[in-house]
Amino acid sequence: MKRANPYSELVNGLSAGELDLLSAAVAERGPREEARFSTLAEAAEIYRPSPPCSACGEGAPWREG
């Protein structure tokens, strides 16, 4: 026997734009739970190395030139 979906009524009441936003949020959640990120920006924040400046030890150096 098929179980009734408690969210069907809520989803049926959404406009097309709201449904698109919900769909995007659901699509984002899967990768986030599997890999701890869902966008390239989030991946960069997690995996990008941020070494200190080799000359002065500053934690947030920038490159000149």
Side-chain angles (χ1 to χ4, degrees):
M1 181 150 107
K2 190 173 179 182
R3 187 175 88 162
N5 188 334
Y7 303 106
S8 292
E9 189 174 318
L10 293 170
V11 171
N12 288 336
L14 296 175
S15 70
E18 291 169 332
L19 188 57
D20 287 342
L21 290 172
L22 177 61
S23 179
V26 169
E28 216 176 78
R29 181 177 174 172
R32 179 173 285 136
E33 287 185 3
E34 292 174 17
R36 297 186 359 232
F37 62 87
S38 62
T39 65
L40 291 175
E42 289 175 354
E45 286 300 315
I46 294 170
Y47 297 107
R48 179 186 309 146
S50 341
C53 174
S54 59
C56 68
E58 170 65 37
W62 65 88
R63 185 175 181 173
E64 291 185 59

